[in-house]
Amino acid sequence: MWIKKWKIKRNLISVMTKIKAFFEKRNWNYVAIIAIIFGGAVVVYTSCWINDSDRRNIAVGIGTGIITSALVTLYLEIINAQIERKKLQKYKKMIFSPLCDSVRKLYIHIILNIDEYRVREEKKTLFFIPMKETKEISDFFKKMQEIDIESITEEKEKRKLEEFSTISLVYFKEIISQYEGLPFESLLLDNIITQEEYD
């Protein structure tokens, strides 16, 4: 029952976000400015058919004035949109930085545990942070998963593996608290995060 309600709520948010995105993609300010530029161009074009030079000059002046002011407005709109985008990116980074920091702490702790284990086992290579290629560490984890700690009889070997696999719950609790503190639905509705990021 709870899962059904959650799915309905999620689908409703998805539909609302798509409708909002549809209208926001079509920036009506840009549409209005383009229409004004077109109107100015029509005024300049029709001035060619006016025989009276004074009236023609007035029509050309009005037409070019409309086009110029519309182009300046369009330029300012584009600049403001870029500023808003940068502000949004900064805000997004600020919102998610505590969660990213807690994940980074856990990641570093895991790598340090692995490297400590590899030193004890006299492995030649250590994992350095940051890592560009994670395949090697992924392969290492696969090998470690195959080991059945309970079946090892040698106490020293068993202790090494237990120490390697023990990670303080503090790191996980911090990640969970940071994650639960984020208002994902509000961020989605305000277009701060995308539907893909939300999922």
Side-chain angles (χ1 to χ4, degrees), residues 3 6 20 62-63 71 101 103 135 145 150 152 176 182 188 190 196-197:
I3 292 167
W6 180 79
K20 199 173 178 183
I62 290 167
L71 285 170
D101 288 340
V103 171
K135 189 184 181 299
Q145 280 176 334
E150 297 303 317
I152 296 166
I176 291 163
L182 287 168
L188 177 65
D190 293 335
E196 191 181 349
E197 287 170 330

Side-chain angles (χ1 to χ4, degrees), residues 112-184:
L112 290 172
N113 267 22
I114 292 166
D115 282 347
E116 196 176 326
Y117 174 79
R118 288 172 77 84
V119 166
R120 285 178 189 162
E121 291 297 297
E122 296 179 355
K123 302 275 181 189
K124 288 180 182 178
T125 56
L126 298 175
F127 297 121
F128 295 103
I129 301 168
M131 296 176 71
K132 287 183 181 177
E133 181 58 58
T134 56
K135 189 184 181 299
E136 196 180 345
I137 197 166
S138 179
D139 293 340
F140 172 76
F141 271 120
K142 279 176 188 172
K143 284 177 188 173
M144 295 306 290
Q145 280 176 334
E146 290 167 8
I147 299 168
D148 182 14
I149 296 173
E150 297 303 317
S151 64
I152 296 166
T153 52
E154 195 181 329
E155 197 60 38
K156 192 180 175 184
E157 189 66 30
K158 193 173 182 178
R159 195 171 66 250
K160 271 191 216 172
L161 286 164
E162 282 173 348
E163 282 175 6
F164 154 74
S165 60
T166 303
I167 295 161
S168 174
L169 282 172
V170 172
Y171 295 100
F172 295 104
K173 283 177 181 174
E174 189 182 348
I175 290 170
I176 291 163
S177 66
Q178 293 294 347
Y179 177 81
E180 287 179 344
L182 287 168
F184 288 105

Side-chain angles (χ1 to χ4, degrees), residues 2-186:
W2 180 82
I3 292 167
K4 274 187 178 179
K5 281 183 181 177
W6 180 79
K7 280 184 178 176
I8 291 164
K9 192 178 180 183
R10 189 170 167 263
N11 289 336
L12 187 67
I13 288 167
S14 177
V15 169
M16 284 172 70
T17 307
K18 281 175 183 174
I19 291 165
K20 199 173 178 183
F22 175 81
F23 284 107
E24 282 184 357
K25 276 179 186 175
R26 282 149 184 78
N27 192 321
W28 299 111
N29 288 343
Y30 293 160
V31 172
I33 291 164
I34 289 162
I36 291 164
I37 290 168
F38 181 75
V42 168
V43 171
V44 171
Y45 179 74
T46 51
S47 68
C48 298
W49 306 103
I50 299 169
N51 294 324
D52 186 2
S53 61
D54 290 338
R55 286 181 181 176
R56 185 168 53 244
N57 290 340
I58 290 165
V60 169
I62 290 167
T64 51
I66 289 167
I67 293 166
T68 306
S69 61
L71 285 170
V72 169
T73 308
L74 182 65
Y75 174 75
L76 291 172
E77 276 288 322
I78 292 164
I79 294 293
N80 288 336
Q82 286 176 347
I83 291 165
E84 282 299 314
R85 206 177 294 118
K86 282 177 184 175
K87 276 183 185 175
L88 194 68
Q89 284 170 352
K90 281 180 183 176
Y91 177 67
K92 192 173 169 182
K93 195 176 178 181
M94 185 182 74
I95 286 280
F96 286 103
S97 62
L99 177 63
C100 292
D101 288 340
S102 58
V103 171
R104 195 180 292 113
K105 281 177 196 172
L106 175 62
Y107 173 71
I108 291 166
H109 184 71
I110 290 167
I111 297 293
L112 290 172
N113 267 22
I114 292 166
D115 282 347
E116 196 176 326
Y117 174 79
R118 288 172 77 84
V119 166
R120 285 178 189 162
E121 291 297 297
E122 296 179 355
K123 302 275 181 189
K124 288 180 182 178
T125 56
L126 298 175
F127 297 121
F128 295 103
I129 301 168
M131 296 176 71
K132 287 183 181 177
E133 181 58 58
T134 56
K135 189 184 181 299
E136 196 180 345
I137 197 166
S138 179
D139 293 340
F140 172 76
F141 271 120
K142 279 176 188 172
K143 284 177 188 173
M144 295 306 290
Q145 280 176 334
E146 290 167 8
I147 299 168
D148 182 14
I149 296 173
E150 297 303 317
S151 64
I152 296 166
T153 52
E154 195 181 329
E155 197 60 38
K156 192 180 175 184
E157 189 66 30
K158 193 173 182 178
R159 195 171 66 250
K160 271 191 216 172
L161 286 164
E162 282 173 348
E163 282 175 6
F164 154 74
S165 60
T166 303
I167 295 161
S168 174
L169 282 172
V170 172
Y171 295 100
F172 295 104
K173 283 177 181 174
E174 189 182 348
I175 290 170
I176 291 163
S177 66
Q178 293 294 347
Y179 177 81
E180 287 179 344
L182 287 168
F184 288 105
E185 289 174 3
S186 301

